[in-house]
Amino acid sequence: MVNYHQLKAFIKHWLTSVDKHSIHSPFFFDFYNKVILDKTDPGQFSETEQLRSNLLVNSTEIEIIDFGAGSKKLNGTKRKLLDIASTSLTPQKFARLYYNIITYQKAKNIVELGTSLGITSLYLAKSKACHVTTFEGSRSLADVAITNFEYFEKQNIELIEGNINSTLQEFVQNPAKINFVLIDANHQYAPTLRYFNMMMRRLNEKSIVVLDDIHWSEEMERAWNELRTSQLVYGSIDLFRCGILFFDPDINRQHFVLNL
Ligand SMILES: C[S@@+](CC[C@H](N)C(=O)[O-])C[C@H]1O[C@@H](n2cnc3c(N)ncnc32)[C@H](O)[C@@H]1O
């Protein structure tokens, strides 16, 4: 159910969003045409989408440990896979957007904070040239995700199980740069900023970070506004469901509110 904050944010987004005729920056115009205007063949994800459909009718219950902000829709520690699949996962349209971004970037190293059932991880790991590291705290969810990765014989996904508050610290010691990061785990202000700042060590100016659920709550809205206006960020796009952050100084600090 949509709460007052989300309704207010949606109306503001609707009033402030622009179309491609208002994008004068060559970088954002190119990004809009090549990435946001989706020309990928959805058929190439049909097996992953079949898996999503199977999960959407799977009433198996699993025990969840909630490491994040919890769910506005689900209560309790026992949850059915079908409920998780219908409330917690990135919708197909946005999973395709993330695939388009990493294709545009020719990304090799990808990080997903918050695996859940692993559906978006499968999109991110579509190309064998990519290596995806995905983080999940809840063991039962990690087990389902690993089963899904094995079913698709994915060799290029590594799942790091455990609370990101502990597991990310060691991960960011590795000096290799990360091209694309999806922050989709603990939807609260302080952890979002902390994870972003920790990941900064592993980014370069061509990296792209996507923050999910930027208008989900007042604290996520605050986190998004702080990050997009941070000195470290040179450009941003608000697509309502998610925000995209760019780090290339050539972009010259521009912000766009667009629709997908
Ligand atoms: C919104 S779901 C991720 C959805 C997934 N990215 C997708 O699109 O399919 C968020 C996940 O992050 C996990 N999570 C939240 N906070 C965490 C933390 N502090 N450490 C590890 N996992 C966490 C939750 O268990 C949950 O499975």
Side-chain angles (χ1 to χ4, degrees), residues 49-254:
E49 287 308 318
Q50 184 56 54
L51 172 62
R52 189 198 299 266
S53 304
N54 295 346
L55 289 164
L56 281 166
V57 292
N58 189 330
S59 54
T60 306
E61 276 190 333
I62 58 171
E63 192 85 31
I64 299 286
I65 300 170
D66 201 335
F67 287 95
S71 168
K72 286 195 165 128
K73 294 174 188 144
L74 305 175
N75 295 316
T77 55
K78 279 205 164 153
R79 294 196 190 147
K80 290 185 176 153
L81 290 179
L82 63 88
D83 290 328
I84 298 167
S86 63
T87 56
S88 301
L89 310 189
T90 300
Q92 184 182 165
K93 176 161 98 156
F94 283 87
R96 278 217 311 264
L97 169 77
Y98 305 157
Y99 173 78
N100 289 349
I101 297 176
I102 59 182
T103 305
Y104 175 80
Q105 287 180 293
K106 301 186 179 66
K108 295 264 177 290
N109 266 328
I110 293 165
V111 166
E112 180 189 34
L113 300 183
T115 317
S116 190
L117 304 171
I119 295 288
T120 302
S121 326
L122 289 167
Y123 272 80
L124 299 175
K126 173 90 181 145
S127 159
K128 286 193 178 117
C130 296
H131 183 269
V132 177
T133 310
T134 184
F135 291 74
E136 177 54 54
S138 201
R139 171 166 292 182
S140 52
L141 285 170
D143 287 345
V144 176
I146 288 170
T147 306
N148 292 336
F149 303 154
E150 285 172 354
Y151 176 76
F152 285 107
E153 298 179 351
K154 282 289 170 192
Q155 309 286 328
N156 59 338
I157 308 178
E158 178 190 359
L159 191 148
I160 297 183
E161 190 195 312
N163 191 334
I164 296 167
N165 295 345
S166 322
T167 54
L168 197 58
Q169 188 59 45
E170 189 188 333
F171 180 77
V172 297
Q173 304 309 318
N174 183 326
K177 295 300 177 200
I178 305 292
N179 308 108
F180 177 86
V181 182
L182 171 61
I183 302 181
D184 187 16
N186 190 342
H187 291 162
Q188 298 181 78
Y189 172 80
T192 299
L193 262 67
R194 196 166 58 245
Y195 300 160
F196 174 86
N197 287 324
M198 287 169 83
M199 283 308 304
M200 272 314 292
R201 293 175 67 131
R202 295 205 55 183
L203 305 185
N204 63 21
E205 57 184 40
K206 297 294 178 196
S207 301
I208 292 179
V209 171
V210 169
L211 190 58
D212 190 64
D213 272 337
I214 53 176
H215 301 293
W216 189 71
S217 62
E218 276 179 37
E219 55 179 308
M220 281 307 288
E221 186 95 40
R222 187 153 65 98
W224 164 244
N225 283 326
E226 242 167 76
L227 292 182
R228 74 175 179 79
T229 55
S230 136
Q231 283 303 306
L232 303 167
V233 172
Y234 283 87
S236 54
I237 297 177
D238 175 342
L239 289 171
F240 191 69
R241 165 145 196 139
C242 70
I244 309 175
L245 300 169
F246 303 89
F247 303 89
D248 189 341
D250 288 344
I251 293 174
N252 215 4
R253 301 202 187 280
Q254 299 200 52

